Amino acid sequence: MYHAIVRRNLRKSFAEVNRGNYPAIVRQFTPAAEHWFSGAHALGGGRRDNERIQQWYDRLAALLPDLRFELTKVSAKGWPWDTVAFVEWVDHLTDREGNHYSNQGVHVIRIAWGKITELHIYCDTALLASVLDTLAAQGVTEASAPPVGDPGPFRAAAAPAA
């Protein structure tokens, strides 16, 4: 029963994202949660406090205002004090000229007593970087901004080769 509740809450959370209600998402994190997105781009890197996590979601909203997720699989395992959940998804969005894009990926989420302690997001980062390059060319300056928080292990990958 517990895992069914976790899966239902995750579906509700993605419905909030689809509505653009990012404050509802940030409220689900513990104060010292880890939020990490793979890749060397404006959405990449890691954050370890709710202020930076909110800044990341603010950037997400500015970059991809019509982002919508279609969930393909939601699973959860573990105890209430240490639950690991996986959400597989396909997303849909448009750039400023109306071109449509879609990516696929997975969220790996660790939950303790109903609060998110870790969120790791994996997707086709080359595709996302390409979309962000397109947005930058369309005048969206944040699309080429450095990551919010620590760029993580992708810092060297973001620097041009000498």
Side-chain angles (χ1 to χ4, degrees):
M1 182 60 143
Y2 166 71
H3 296 118
I5 293 168
V6 170
R7 290 190 303 271
R8 183 188 71 216
N9 287 344
L10 289 168
R11 286 185 185 94
K12 284 182 178 180
S13 293
F14 275 87
E16 292 297 334
V17 169
N18 289 345
R19 284 191 281 279
N21 186 5
Y22 296 114
I25 304 306
V26 175
R27 284 192 298 270
Q28 296 178 40
F29 286 89
T30 62
E34 177 180 279
H35 182 280
W36 183 85
F37 196 117
S38 64
H41 49 74
L43 293 172
R47 291 134 295 279
R48 289 192 167 270
D49 64 72
N50 287 353
E51 181 180 344
R52 295 243 187 233
I53 292 170
Q54 181 63 59
Q55 290 171 356
W56 185 89
Y57 280 103
D58 291 345
R59 176 173 288 174
L60 180 67
L63 292 172
L64 310 173
D66 68 343
L67 176 65
R68 298 294 174 267
F69 286 93
E70 173 188 336
L71 305 186
T72 58
K73 186 184 287 184
V74 180
S75 64
K77 297 193 182 286
W79 298 101
W81 56 89
D82 188 19
T83 304
V84 177
F86 301 89
V87 180
E88 294 179 31
W89 48 263
V90 175
D91 70 12
H92 306 278
L93 58 107
T94 56
D95 65 18
R96 300 310 188 266
E97 295 178 358
N99 300 304
H100 296 274
Y101 300 89
S102 183
N103 203 339
Q104 61 186 20
V106 64
H107 280 51
V108 180
I109 307 159
R110 186 171 294 269
I111 303 165
W113 302 113
K115 299 293 269 182
I116 298 170
T117 61
E118 294 178 18
L119 170 59
H120 292 197
I121 306 166
Y122 302 90
C123 67
D124 181 342
T125 57
L127 174 63
L128 178 57
S130 174
V131 170
L132 292 172
D133 287 346
T134 299
L135 290 171
Q138 294 172 349
V140 182
T141 57
E142 276 196 277
S144 58
V148 173
D150 180 7
F154 301 102
R155 181 178 332 169

